[in-house]
Amino acid sequence: MPVASSTATSGRLLSLLSLLQARRDWPGALLAGRLGVSERTVRRDVDRLRELGYPIQAVKGPEGGYRLGAGSRLPPLLFDEEQAVALAVALRIAAGTGAGIEEAAVRALTTVRQVLPARLRQRVDGLRIAAAGGSAIQVDTDVLLVLSAAIRATEEVRFGYASPSRPADGEPRRVQPHHLVVRSGRWYLVGWDAVRADWRTYRVDRMRPRVPNGPRFTPREVPGGDVAAFLSARFKDSGTDAWPCRGEVVLARPAADVAPFAGDGVVEEVAPGKTRLLTGSWSWPALAAGLLRFDCEIDVVGPPELRAAFADLAARAARAGAGGEAAKLRATPGSR
């Protein structure tokens, strides 16, 4: 009998905690009704949860009630099955972001996995998640925290910025930070440069924040209102999320062979072993060279600029195949 009573109490405590997490304020009478117990029992159960470390506050008012607040230490957490799986997925993704939390994410995932029921553990173990676009570039977690805090506080940031040919110890830059974005394994800060009166994008792994921060600023919206589309457009060197050079070709390959390497291009199989591809790049030579990687016959539908770029690449390839200037130098007597 005591065991059954203890089990009922434990189950009721979990139900009470789940209810407190579901909404901000709970009148005591409503909690008692949902749990099927008296208000006195609810008070005792709240005291038990407080002893376990949950910061439950008493809410004053005509009905009275309770609120789950934030505490000074982390108590045990309660998740439903969907939340537990979502947490495991997020931790797997976090382990590949380059945010400097990889080891902690792996340890947290191990902890979560240990307490999962067997059926959920199998679902989590079946996840195979990899970072898109290559390995993540490691960034300093403290830098991410500094930038995130400045974005929340709408404070200008000052930082040195390194490049392959220049260290980050020069004159600091001043930027109004708006967004932290991960793209292809790299972290970027998108901000407004008040001096240049333009939006700028910076790789976080090259930033060295300076203290103190600058003055407060009024946030503004990135062009188009979508930071992901804005960043994509910047990488495509265009004002919109579209490549400045777009062409259409028919490749002598099945669509199944083309689609995995088409990026954001449009793929359509027009006949067995024939695929139409509409795609783009930042220049006509780059677009032509990228299409050559499919290693097949290519029929250029248009525009003329793409056909001209193929002709130019063919001429360069012919000169390279003939040896060009390097062959002449090797043939010159006395040259080495």
Side-chain angles (χ1 to χ4, degrees):
M1 189 67 180
V3 174
S5 176
S6 176
T7 302
T9 301
S10 299
R12 193 175 64 246
L13 288 177
L14 291 176
S15 297
L16 173 58
L17 181 57
S18 181
L19 289 173
L20 290 171
Q21 291 177 153
R23 57 182 278 182
R24 179 173 173 81
D25 295 326
W26 278 95
L30 183 56
L31 278 176
R34 292 290 292 270
L35 295 172
V37 297
S38 66
E39 291 188 53
R40 180 180 179 183
T41 299
V42 170
R43 289 194 295 271
R44 288 201 302 266
D45 289 346
V46 166
D47 288 338
R48 291 189 180 98
L49 288 176
R50 285 170 175 163
E51 292 173 359
L52 292 173
Y54 291 97
I56 301 175
Q57 304 166 1
V59 178
K60 297 181 179 180
E63 296 181 330
Y66 303 95
R67 174 187 303 163
L68 182 62
S72 58
R73 63 188 181 92
L74 186 65
L77 301 178
L78 177 67
F79 299 101
D80 60 30
E81 292 188 358
E82 290 184 353
Q83 290 173 326
V85 173
L87 177 61
V89 172
L91 289 171
R92 282 196 184 276
I93 294 173
T97 61
I101 58 172
E102 290 78 8
E103 182 182 350
V106 170
R107 286 191 285 109
L109 179 59
T110 300
T111 301
V112 171
R113 184 187 176 281
Q114 287 175 344
V115 298
L116 289 177
R119 64 183 186 282
L120 296 185
R121 192 180 306 125
Q122 291 176 357
R123 290 174 60 186
V124 170
D125 291 345
L127 293 171
R128 293 295 181 265
I129 300 173
S135 300
I137 301 299
Q138 190 68 42
V139 299
D140 189 332
T141 307
D142 291 337
V143 174
L144 289 176
L145 294 175
V146 167
L147 295 176
S148 297
I151 292 171
R152 289 195 304 271
T154 62
E155 292 179 347
E156 184 182 85
V157 291
R158 301 166 59 248
F159 58 92
Y161 195 69
S163 69
S165 60
R166 183 182 60 192
D169 54 4
E171 182 69 20
R173 306 190 186 196
R174 306 177 70 95
V175 172
Q176 297 173 1
H178 283 71
H179 301 279
L180 276 172
V181 186
V182 182
R183 176 187 168 91
S184 299
R186 289 188 173 93
W187 286 84
Y188 295 92
L189 174 72
V190 177
W192 174 260
D193 188 322
V195 175
R196 296 177 175 84
D198 193 15
W199 290 94
R200 289 290 189 269
T201 302
Y202 303 92
R203 276 179 50 173
V204 174
D205 59 296
R206 295 179 176 178
M207 299 175 67
R208 302 294 181 270
R210 309 285 179 85
V211 293
N213 287 343
R216 300 284 297 273
F217 63 89
T218 301
R220 61 184 72 209
E221 191 175 84
V222 296
D226 186 332
V227 65
F230 169 79
L231 188 61
S232 180
R234 282 297 173 101
F235 277 95
K236 294 175 180 177
D237 196 25
S238 63
T240 60
D241 189 12
W243 292 109
C245 301
R246 291 181 64 81
E248 182 178 349
V249 298
V250 175
L251 303 172
R253 277 196 177 278
D257 293 346
V258 175
F261 308 100
D264 58 358
V266 178
V267 176
E268 178 190 7
E269 189 161 62
V270 295
K274 296 282 186 178
T275 300
R276 178 184 289 114
L277 174 61
L278 178 63
T279 186
S281 187
W282 56 85
S283 72
W284 296 112
L287 179 55
L291 291 167
L292 288 173
R293 75 181 185 273
F294 288 102
D295 190 24
C296 65
E297 293 297 319
I298 301 174
D299 181 15
V300 178
V301 178
E305 291 85 352
L306 179 56
R307 192 171 289 108
F310 271 113
D312 181 55
L313 286 180
R316 294 190 208 175
R319 291 193 296 271
E325 293 298 322
K328 293 178 182 178
L329 288 174
R330 288 195 300 271
T332 302
S335 64
R336 301 184 61 178

